[in-house]
Amino acid sequence: QHLSLNLGNVEREQNAPIVFDVYLNLPDDQPPQYKSIYYVGHMTFFGQGHHHGAGDTTEHRAGTSFSYVITNLVQEQRRQGVWSDTSFRVTLVVGGHREEGAPSVQAAASANPPPALVHIGSVSITAE
């Protein structure tokens, strides 16, 4: 099977970073590492977000969709016993490839919830 992770209707806050790393099933006690079996890919928002038009009004672009092929990642997670067929978790890490100690949006939210940086309308895994 060909598996894809799909993030739909994704919108970025105006002053949020423009690059995030995406992880699937990253354990709470493990720092994000882009060479790990949890790293899916990156999400970039170059040229997206809020735009100012005539009359200085703010317009919002419709949410963007991101899709990632995760077939090999899921196979490796299954081999290592960390995949569940009933649930999954997506974690976004601010700023691109950071190997150690990078705060994630999810981890930061568990202590003192910060304002949301990215809003994700839907998350799904599809098989073809």
Side-chain angles (χ1 to χ4, degrees):
Q1 285 185 337
H2 172 83
L3 300 174
S4 296
L5 173 65
N6 308 293
L7 307 177
N9 197 26
V10 180
E11 296 183 1
R12 174 187 156 267
E13 291 291 326
Q14 184 173 7
N15 296 320
I18 58 173
V19 178
F20 292 85
D21 280 343
V22 180
Y23 290 85
L24 182 62
N25 298 324
L26 181 69
D28 289 334
D29 62 348
Q30 185 167 340
Q33 295 179 335
Y34 75 95
K35 293 181 181 178
S36 73
I37 64 167
Y38 307 105
Y39 178 71
V40 173
H42 61 274
M43 178 179 354
T44 60
F45 293 94
F46 293 108
Q48 297 182 7
H50 297 298
H51 300 277
H52 295 284
D56 205 31
T57 58
T58 302
E59 299 175 289
H60 299 274
R61 274 195 185 177
T64 303
S65 294
F66 296 88
S67 185
Y68 305 89
V69 175
I70 58 168
T71 307
N72 293 337
L73 183 144
V74 169
Q75 289 173 349
E76 186 58 32
Q77 286 190 10
R78 277 191 173 129
R79 274 194 285 275
Q80 294 195 26
V82 296
W83 176 257
S84 167
D85 286 331
T86 59
S87 65
F88 64 92
R89 180 170 68 175
V90 174
T91 303
L92 302 181
V93 177
V94 176
H97 299 313
R98 293 184 180 186
E99 292 201 35
E100 296 194 28
S104 69
V105 173
Q106 178 178 316
S110 64
N112 295 311
L117 299 174
V118 173
H119 302 275
I120 301 174
S122 64
V123 178
S124 65
I125 292 178
T126 55
E128 295 178 17

